[in-house]
Amino acid sequence: DTAVSQTPKYLVTQMGNDKSIKCEQNLGHDTMYWYKQDSKKFLKIMFSYNNKELIINETVPNRFSPKSPDKAHLNLHINSLELGDSAVYFCASSQGQIYGYTFGSGTRLTVV
Amino acid sequence: EDQVTQSPEALRLQEGESSSLNCSYTVSGLRGLFWYRQDPGKGPEFLFTLYSAGEEKEKERLKATLTKKESFLHITAPKPEDSATYLCAVHPPPGTYKYIFGTGTRLKVLA
Protein backbone atom coordinates (compact mmCIF):
# COMPACT_ATOMS: atom_id res chain seq x y z
CA ASP A 1 0.00 0.00 0.00
CA THR A 2 1.23 3.47 -0.83
CA ALA A 3 1.22 5.54 2.31
CA VAL A 4 3.00 7.47 5.00
CA SER A 5 3.79 5.10 7.82
CA GLN A 6 5.10 6.08 11.22
CA THR A 7 6.19 3.97 14.14
CA PRO A 8 5.45 3.46 16.90
CA LYS A 9 1.73 4.28 17.08
CA TYR A 10 1.84 4.61 20.86
CA LEU A 11 4.77 5.57 23.04
CA VAL A 12 4.62 5.75 26.83
CA THR A 13 7.83 6.75 28.54
CA GLN A 14 9.19 8.35 31.67
CA MET A 15 10.43 11.90 32.04
CA GLY A 16 14.06 12.29 31.15
CA ASN A 17 14.18 9.43 28.65
CA ASP A 18 15.25 9.75 25.01
CA LYS A 19 12.99 8.38 22.29
CA SER A 20 12.69 8.31 18.50
CA ILE A 21 9.77 8.24 16.09
CA LYS A 22 10.29 6.97 12.58
CA CYS A 23 8.49 7.93 9.39
CA GLU A 24 8.62 6.50 5.90
CA GLN A 25 6.72 7.42 2.73
CA ASN A 26 6.53 5.43 -0.47
CA LEU A 27 4.65 8.03 -2.49
CA GLY A 28 7.77 9.44 -4.17
CA HIS A 29 7.15 12.85 -2.56
CA ASP A 30 10.05 15.26 -2.19
CA THR A 31 8.95 17.04 1.01
CA MET A 32 8.30 15.65 4.48
CA TYR A 33 7.05 17.26 7.68
CA TRP A 34 6.66 16.76 11.41
CA TYR A 35 3.58 18.25 13.04
CA LYS A 36 2.53 18.30 16.68
CA GLN A 37 -1.17 18.14 17.55
CA ASP A 38 -2.06 19.27 21.03
CA SER A 39 -5.03 18.33 23.19
CA LYS A 40 -7.15 21.00 21.48
CA LYS A 41 -6.42 19.39 18.11
CA PHE A 42 -4.33 22.32 16.86
CA LEU A 43 -1.73 21.21 14.31
CA LYS A 44 1.58 23.02 14.55
CA ILE A 45 4.48 22.59 12.14
CA MET A 46 7.77 21.61 13.72
CA PHE A 47 10.12 20.72 10.88
CA SER A 48 10.15 20.18 7.14
CA TYR A 49 12.66 18.66 4.77
CA ASN A 50 12.74 19.05 1.02
CA ASN A 51 14.98 16.49 -0.70
CA LYS A 52 16.86 15.95 2.58
CA GLU A 53 17.38 19.69 3.12
CA LEU A 54 15.88 21.31 6.24
CA ILE A 55 13.54 24.10 5.06
CA ILE A 56 11.36 24.68 8.10
CA ASN A 57 12.78 24.70 11.61
CA GLU A 58 10.19 26.16 13.94
CA THR A 59 10.85 27.40 17.42
CA VAL A 60 10.86 24.10 19.22
CA PRO A 61 13.16 23.06 22.07
CA ASN A 62 16.52 21.86 20.80
CA ARG A 63 15.77 18.58 22.55
CA PHE A 64 13.88 17.80 19.33
CA SER A 65 16.12 16.83 16.43
CA PRO A 66 14.91 15.70 13.02
CA LYS A 67 16.96 13.58 10.70
CA SER A 68 16.31 12.73 7.06
CA PRO A 69 18.64 9.99 5.76
CA ASP A 70 16.94 10.10 2.36
CA LYS A 71 13.89 11.77 0.87
CA ALA A 72 11.64 8.82 1.79
CA HIS A 73 12.47 8.89 5.51
CA LEU A 74 12.18 11.49 8.24
CA ASN A 75 12.82 10.59 11.85
CA LEU A 76 12.31 12.61 15.01
CA HIS A 77 14.53 12.16 18.03
CA ILE A 78 13.56 13.67 21.37
CA ASN A 79 16.02 13.97 24.25
CA SER A 80 15.23 14.42 27.94
CA LEU A 81 11.47 14.05 27.53
CA GLU A 82 9.24 16.36 29.57
CA LEU A 83 5.57 16.09 30.60
CA GLY A 84 4.71 18.91 28.18
CA ASP A 85 5.95 16.86 25.23
CA SER A 86 2.89 14.62 25.54
CA ALA A 87 0.91 15.03 22.31
CA VAL A 88 0.20 13.32 19.01
CA TYR A 89 3.00 13.71 16.48
CA PHE A 90 2.17 13.43 12.80
CA CYS A 91 4.47 12.87 9.89
CA ALA A 92 3.30 14.07 6.47
CA SER A 93 4.60 14.28 2.94
CA SER A 94 3.83 16.24 -0.21
CA GLN A 95 5.15 16.79 -3.70
CA GLY A 96 6.33 20.38 -3.50
CA GLN A 97 4.80 22.73 -0.96
CA ILE A 98 1.60 23.91 -2.61
CA TYR A 99 -0.20 20.59 -2.85
CA GLY A 100 -2.17 18.59 -0.34
CA TYR A 101 -0.32 16.65 2.28
CA THR A 102 -0.57 12.93 2.98
CA PHE A 103 -0.44 12.35 6.73
CA GLY A 104 0.61 9.32 8.69
CA SER A 105 -1.69 7.91 11.35
CA GLY A 106 0.18 9.60 14.18
CA THR A 107 2.24 8.66 17.22
CA ARG A 108 0.60 9.30 20.57
CA LEU A 109 3.41 10.18 22.97
CA THR A 110 2.65 10.08 26.68
CA VAL A 111 5.33 11.19 29.12
CA VAL A 112 4.76 10.10 32.71
CA GLU B 1 -0.10 38.29 11.44
CA ASP B 2 -1.33 35.49 9.18
CA GLN B 3 -4.29 33.75 10.73
CA VAL B 4 -6.90 31.08 9.97
CA THR B 5 -10.16 30.93 11.92
CA GLN B 6 -12.77 28.20 11.61
CA SER B 7 -16.37 28.36 12.75
CA PRO B 8 -18.35 26.95 14.31
CA GLU B 9 -16.09 25.07 16.70
CA ALA B 10 -18.60 22.23 16.87
CA LEU B 11 -21.74 21.42 14.90
CA ARG B 12 -24.44 18.83 15.43
CA LEU B 13 -26.73 18.02 12.51
CA GLN B 14 -29.53 15.60 11.94
CA GLU B 15 -29.01 13.19 9.07
CA GLY B 16 -30.08 15.00 5.89
CA GLU B 17 -29.80 18.48 7.41
CA SER B 18 -27.50 20.48 5.12
CA SER B 19 -25.14 23.11 6.51
CA SER B 20 -21.87 24.95 5.92
CA LEU B 21 -18.58 25.23 7.72
CA ASN B 22 -16.56 28.44 7.52
CA CYS B 23 -12.84 29.08 7.23
CA SER B 24 -11.78 32.74 7.24
CA TYR B 25 -8.21 33.82 6.71
CA THR B 26 -6.01 36.89 6.87
CA VAL B 27 -3.13 36.01 4.59
CA SER B 28 -1.76 38.21 1.88
CA GLY B 29 -0.91 36.53 -1.38
CA LEU B 30 -2.74 33.25 -0.75
CA ARG B 31 -1.24 30.41 -2.78
CA GLY B 32 -3.76 27.78 -1.84
CA LEU B 33 -6.44 26.83 0.66
CA PHE B 34 -6.82 23.21 1.70
CA TRP B 35 -9.55 21.23 3.39
CA TYR B 36 -8.89 18.06 5.38
CA ARG B 37 -11.03 15.58 7.24
CA GLN B 38 -9.74 14.01 10.47
CA ASP B 39 -11.33 10.99 12.10
CA PRO B 40 -10.57 10.17 15.76
CA GLY B 41 -7.22 8.46 16.18
CA LYS B 42 -6.19 9.07 12.58
CA GLY B 43 -4.19 11.60 10.59
CA PRO B 44 -5.89 14.30 8.54
CA GLU B 45 -7.08 13.15 5.13
CA PHE B 46 -6.77 15.56 2.22
CA LEU B 47 -10.07 16.60 0.61
CA PHE B 48 -9.66 19.68 -1.61
CA THR B 49 -7.32 22.41 -2.74
CA LEU B 50 -8.66 25.78 -3.89
CA TYR B 51 -6.31 28.26 -5.52
CA SER B 52 -8.33 31.31 -6.55
CA ALA B 53 -11.47 33.21 -5.57
CA GLY B 54 -14.55 31.82 -7.28
CA GLU B 55 -13.17 28.32 -7.51
CA GLU B 56 -15.36 25.40 -6.39
CA LYS B 57 -14.59 21.71 -5.84
CA GLU B 58 -17.00 18.86 -5.12
CA LYS B 59 -16.70 15.37 -3.72
CA GLU B 60 -19.80 13.33 -2.92
CA ARG B 61 -21.81 15.38 -0.39
CA LEU B 62 -19.07 17.97 0.09
CA LYS B 63 -18.56 21.17 -1.87
CA ALA B 64 -15.81 23.68 -1.12
CA THR B 65 -15.89 27.30 -2.28
CA LEU B 66 -13.40 30.15 -1.99
CA THR B 67 -13.67 33.93 -1.82
CA LYS B 68 -10.94 36.49 -1.19
CA LYS B 69 -11.44 36.29 2.57
CA GLU B 70 -12.99 32.92 3.35
CA SER B 71 -13.84 29.44 2.28
CA PHE B 72 -16.98 27.41 2.91
CA LEU B 73 -17.36 23.67 3.09
CA HIS B 74 -20.97 22.91 2.25
CA ILE B 75 -22.33 19.55 3.37
CA THR B 76 -25.47 18.48 1.55
CA ALA B 77 -27.77 15.87 3.12
CA PRO B 78 -25.07 14.62 5.50
CA LYS B 79 -24.89 11.06 6.79
CA PRO B 80 -23.53 9.80 10.12
CA GLU B 81 -20.33 8.71 8.36
CA ASP B 82 -19.60 12.36 7.59
CA SER B 83 -18.98 12.90 11.31
CA ALA B 84 -15.36 14.03 11.75
CA THR B 85 -13.26 17.11 12.42
CA TYR B 86 -12.83 19.26 9.32
CA LEU B 87 -9.63 21.29 9.13
CA CYS B 88 -8.70 24.03 6.75
CA ALA B 89 -5.19 25.26 6.06
CA VAL B 90 -3.71 28.04 3.97
CA HIS B 91 -0.45 28.14 2.14
CA PRO B 92 1.06 31.59 2.54
CA PRO B 93 3.13 33.59 0.04
CA PRO B 94 6.39 32.32 -1.47
CA GLY B 95 9.36 32.09 0.82
CA THR B 96 7.51 31.05 3.94
CA TYR B 97 6.78 27.41 3.08
CA LYS B 98 4.48 26.96 6.02
CA TYR B 99 0.87 25.87 6.06
CA ILE B 100 -1.23 27.60 8.68
CA PHE B 101 -3.94 25.32 10.06
CA GLY B 102 -7.21 26.37 11.61
CA THR B 103 -8.40 24.70 14.81
CA GLY B 104 -11.10 22.73 13.04
CA THR B 105 -14.85 22.19 13.20
CA ARG B 106 -16.04 19.04 14.95
CA LEU B 107 -19.05 17.77 13.03
CA LYS B 108 -21.46 15.23 14.46
CA VAL B 109 -24.26 13.90 12.26
CA LEU B 110 -27.02 12.13 14.12
CA ALA B 111 -29.01 9.28 12.58
Side-chain angles (χ1 to χ4, degrees):
Chain A
D1 283 351
T2 54
V4 176
S5 57
Q6 52 182 114
T7 55
K9 189 167 176 63
Y10 300 98
L11 189 51
V12 181
T13 187
Q14 291 189 326
M15 280 175 51
N17 283 351
D18 302 339
K19 290 293 178 184
S20 292
I21 307 172
K22 295 186 175 183
C23 179
E24 176 182 4
Q25 57 96 1
N26 61 4
L27 298 164
H29 289 167
D30 61 2
T31 307
M32 295 185 74
Y33 312 83
W34 279 113
Y35 275 84
K36 179 180 181 179
Q37 189 170 48
D38 60 25
S39 57
K40 294 189 177 180
K41 304 298 183 186
F42 181 64
L43 274 165
K44 187 175 179 185
I45 183 74
M46 299 175 69
F47 303 103
S48 178
Y49 275 77
N50 175 258
N51 285 319
K52 300 198 303 174
E53 179 188 348
L54 183 65
I55 58 171
I56 297 174
N57 186 2
E58 283 296 277
T59 308
V60 300
N62 57 16
R63 299 180 293 104
F64 290 78
S65 54
K67 198 162 282 187
S68 181
D70 56 61
K71 74 174 193 176
H73 295 84
L74 179 61
N75 303 321
L76 182 66
H77 189 75
I78 316 170
N79 290 327
S80 304
L81 278 154
E82 300 178 357
L83 293 176
D85 297 331
S86 297
V88 181
Y89 293 84
F90 285 101
C91 177
S93 71
S94 67
Q95 183 58 32
Q97 287 107 47
I98 61 168
Y99 301 105
Y101 294 176
T102 301
F103 281 84
S105 56
T107 295
R108 181 173 293 277
L109 172 65
T110 304
V111 183
V112 297
Chain B
E1 184 184 342
D2 297 331
Q3 211 165 15
V4 176
T5 304
Q6 290 188 247
S7 62
E9 198 172 308
L11 182 62
R12 290 166 70 94
L13 299 172
Q14 289 296 130
E15 185 172 4
E17 181 187 0
S18 300
S19 188
S20 296
L21 314 182
N22 177 263
C23 171
S24 62
Y25 59 90
T26 52
V27 173
S28 56
L30 180 76
R31 296 178 76 198
L33 186 141
F34 307 85
W35 282 98
Y36 290 83
R37 169 193 171 126
Q38 187 174 19
D39 293 296
K42 296 189 177 180
E45 176 189 350
F46 172 70
L47 293 173
F48 304 110
T49 309
L50 301 165
Y51 292 106
S52 57
E55 190 174 358
E56 298 182 352
K57 293 269 178 78
E58 282 189 71
K59 181 180 180 179
E60 296 180 359
R61 295 176 293 282
L62 300 177
K63 179 179 176 180
T65 62
L66 181 65
T67 72
K68 287 187 178 179
K69 292 186 178 180
E70 59 192 347
S71 177
F72 292 94
L73 185 66
H74 307 278
I75 305 176
T76 303
K79 298 182 178 182
E81 54 262 41
D82 295 322
S83 298
T85 296
Y86 290 86
L87 300 164
C88 77
V90 298
H91 193 284
T96 61
Y97 295 110
K98 294 182 292 186
Y99 267 35
I100 302 170
F101 274 90
T103 49
T105 293
R106 292 189 314 278
L107 174 66
K108 177 77 174 175
V109 182
L110 305 170

